[in-house]
């Protein structure tokens, strides 16, 4: 996922009350990290493939996954946000709920007042 797109997805998820974080997965590779109950984390779209998918990790070990969501290679940002919000991680192979849960209290955006300084003014 492109860095600015990942940042916008993280911001929109945090606006919905989902504790999402920007994930730097390597040189030029970015994704979205969502902490889950039980010490697990979902790492969305860090492998550079076209489709939207995630690995569910605990202590660096793969404990589940979200298979490639059909048609996701053509998703716009709102569809990506909706797909992440609708995911049910209760089983090792996660599934999509028919509808996203209602939004919770918005979370503050990461970086606070120094966000643009820390990131070198690379985005708008």
């Amino acid at each position: 996922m492109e860095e600015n797109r990942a940042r916008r997805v993280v911001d929109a998820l945090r606006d919905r009350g989902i504790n999402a974080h920007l994930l730097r997965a390597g040189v030029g590779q970015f994704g979205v990290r969502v902490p889950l109950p039980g010490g697990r984390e979902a790492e969305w779209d860090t492998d550079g493939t076209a489709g939207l998918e995630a690995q569910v990790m605990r202590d660096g070990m793969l404990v589940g996954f979200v298979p490639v969501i059909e048609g996701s290679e053509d998703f716009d940002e709102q569809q990506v946000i909706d797909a992440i919000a609708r995911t049910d991680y209760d089983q090792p192979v996660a599934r999509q709920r028919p509808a996203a849960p209602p939004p919770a209290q918005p979370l503050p955006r990461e970086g606070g007042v120094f966000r643009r300084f820390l990131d070198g003014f690379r985005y708008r």
Side-chain angles (χ1 to χ4, degrees):
M1 190 179 297
E2 188 266 325
E3 178 182 9
N4 289 330
R5 182 177 185 177
R7 186 178 311 281
R8 289 188 300 268
V9 168
V10 166
D11 289 344
L13 288 168
R14 292 185 71 81
D15 289 346
R16 285 180 138 182
I18 297 171
N19 190 19
H21 305 278
L22 182 67
L23 176 64
R24 289 179 172 91
V27 178
Q29 290 183 313
F30 295 87
V32 176
R33 181 175 57 83
V34 179
L36 304 170
R40 300 173 302 149
E41 295 181 335
E43 297 178 355
W44 284 91
D45 207 22
T46 60
D47 60 0
T49 59
L52 185 63
E53 61 189 352
Q55 297 80 38
V56 179
M57 310 292 281
R58 181 185 306 132
D59 299 325
M61 300 291 291
L62 183 69
V63 295
F65 68 98
V66 180
V68 175
I69 298 171
E70 193 172 325
S72 61
E73 56 275 353
D74 298 320
F75 278 8
D76 62 19
E77 285 179 25
Q78 288 304 315
Q79 290 170 308
V80 170
I81 294 161
D82 183 62
I84 294 173
R86 287 188 305 118
T87 302
D88 179 4
Y89 304 95
D90 288 341
Q91 301 296 320
V93 179
R95 63 179 181 81
Q96 296 286 299
R97 296 179 186 108
Q105 183 73 23
L107 300 171
R109 297 208 171 162
E110 291 185 310
V113 71
F114 296 107
R115 179 175 176 165
R116 294 198 64 187
F117 288 104
L118 295 171
D119 288 336
F121 295 95
R122 290 189 308 245
Y123 57 91
R124 297 178 203 238

